[in-house]
Amino acid sequence: MFILPTKTNTSHRLRIAPLVVSSSLLFKRFYQFLLVSVIVLCTYQVNATIYYVSSTGNDTNAGTSESLPWKSLAKVNSFTPKPGDQILFKRGDEWTGTITVKSTGIASSPIVYGAYGAGNKPKIFGSEVITGWTLHSGNIYKATVDKIDIKQLFLDTIRMKIARYPDKGYFPISTANSNTQFISTSLNGSINYSGATCILRNKAYTMYARKVSSSSSQTINLASAPVYPLTAGYGFWLTNKLEFLTEPGEWYYDNAANILYLWTP
């Protein structure tokens, strides 16, 4: 057995009697804890349910069989899964939106999001379809998009390239006048680069984006200094100007006017 020593609390003049705990009692409690743990784990496994989702299903279905699947991501997101549950999407089907997971599993009974059936993997596009395209000029089309920013654009399942200058690689910094101003003799001096985004590779394995506050011929002024000093010989490229839209498959988003431009491939 284990005996905890006597201790006196002098401020209250009370004596705390010795506490005697039998080792057999400890082992009994330990085995009871193990038994409860096993029962809990088994309960998770027994109560686990497989739910099915198909683009041809119905959200009023139970969703617990391939013949009665749910349909929408909204239905999936309204559901709070339990440890061990599986939410399976039908292969070959597609959805637009995102998945919101409302709970967590445990190590022995994770919550699983997967696929069922045969064919291609199910696809969930975290994107929106853009409509209302009109001809801007040549092969460049435009559409109004009420978004704060656009990071990627896909035509069907092919990702388009953001318009940039140069179209490939980097321009070198010819002269660094300060941490916010540099000259590049590779630039077209007739373009106004104000408002563009400058992507700087001014240190090995690092890239920084800085807004161009103004320009004059081949001189670029940055709105703020990058973390590492500008250095002659290091590279940069520019984006976020309609003037950089020069090749098929490129796009540009005018954030101020909420207009998206695409040079169709």
Side-chain angles (χ1 to χ4, degrees):
M1 63 178 62
F2 306 96
I3 302 177
L4 301 184
T6 304
K7 181 178 179 181
T8 302
N9 187 327
T10 56
S11 63
H12 293 90
R13 303 296 180 183
L14 297 176
R15 183 175 296 277
I16 302 174
L19 176 62
V20 179
V21 182
S22 170
S23 59
S24 61
L25 178 60
L26 285 177
F27 285 119
K28 181 179 180 182
R29 295 295 186 190
F30 175 71
Y31 284 121
Q32 287 177 338
F33 172 75
L34 285 181
L35 180 60
V36 171
S37 300
V38 171
I39 292 174
V40 170
L41 292 178
C42 290
T43 301
Y44 279 136
Q45 295 292 343
V46 170
N47 292 335
T49 305
I50 300 177
Y51 296 91
Y52 300 88
V53 190
S54 170
S55 59
T56 59
N58 192 309
D59 287 342
T60 61
N61 290 338
T64 53
S65 67
E66 294 186 25
S67 59
L68 293 171
W70 292 337
K71 180 177 182 178
S72 70
L73 295 183
K75 178 64 176 180
V76 173
N77 291 337
S78 68
F79 164 69
T80 302
K82 304 182 303 296
D85 282 354
Q86 298 183 49
I87 299 90
L88 306 182
F89 296 85
K90 187 175 181 180
R91 291 181 177 272
D93 286 0
E94 298 180 356
W95 293 264
T96 297
T98 57
I99 295 176
T100 302
V101 182
K102 292 187 174 181
S103 60
T104 62
I106 59 176
S108 59
S109 296
I111 296 171
V112 177
Y113 289 80
Y116 74 96
N120 296 326
K121 294 179 180 180
K123 296 179 180 179
I124 299 176
F125 296 95
S127 55
E128 298 179 19
V129 176
I130 299 173
T131 59
W133 291 96
T134 59
L135 183 64
H136 174 68
S137 65
N139 292 320
I140 299 176
Y141 289 80
K142 63 182 179 181
T144 300
V145 183
D146 187 15
K147 294 294 178 183
I148 296 176
D149 198 6
I150 295 177
K151 300 298 184 183
Q152 298 184 92
L153 180 69
F154 293 83
L155 181 60
D156 294 329
T157 59
I158 302 174
R159 186 171 68 176
M160 301 291 98
K161 185 178 74 172
I162 189 170
R164 51 168 287 177
Y165 179 57
D167 289 317
K168 297 178 181 178
Y170 299 85
F171 282 147
I173 295 175
S174 303
T175 305
N177 296 331
S178 68
N179 282 340
T180 58
Q181 185 185 85
F182 66 88
I183 298 172
S184 175
T185 57
S186 300
L187 289 173
N188 182 342
S190 65
I191 297 177
N192 179 9
Y193 299 102
S194 299
T197 300
C198 183
I199 311 298
L200 296 153
R201 186 178 178 273
N202 57 328
K203 187 175 177 63
Y205 311 112
T206 60
M207 296 181 72
Y208 295 94
R210 290 295 184 268
K211 198 78 171 178
V212 177
S213 58
S214 63
S215 68
S216 177
S217 185
Q218 296 176 319
T219 300
I220 297 292
N221 295 299
L222 303 177
S224 61
V227 176
Y228 297 103
L230 298 174
T231 305
Y234 278 81
F236 72 96
W237 52 276
L238 298 159
T239 186
N240 287 339
K241 293 282 283 188
L242 183 58
E243 290 88 339
F244 306 153
L245 188 58
T246 58
E247 289 189 349
E250 291 185 338
W251 63 273
Y252 159 68
Y253 181 56
D254 187 334
N255 209 339
N258 298 125
I259 298 177
L260 175 65
Y261 298 85
L262 170 66
W263 187 321
T264 54

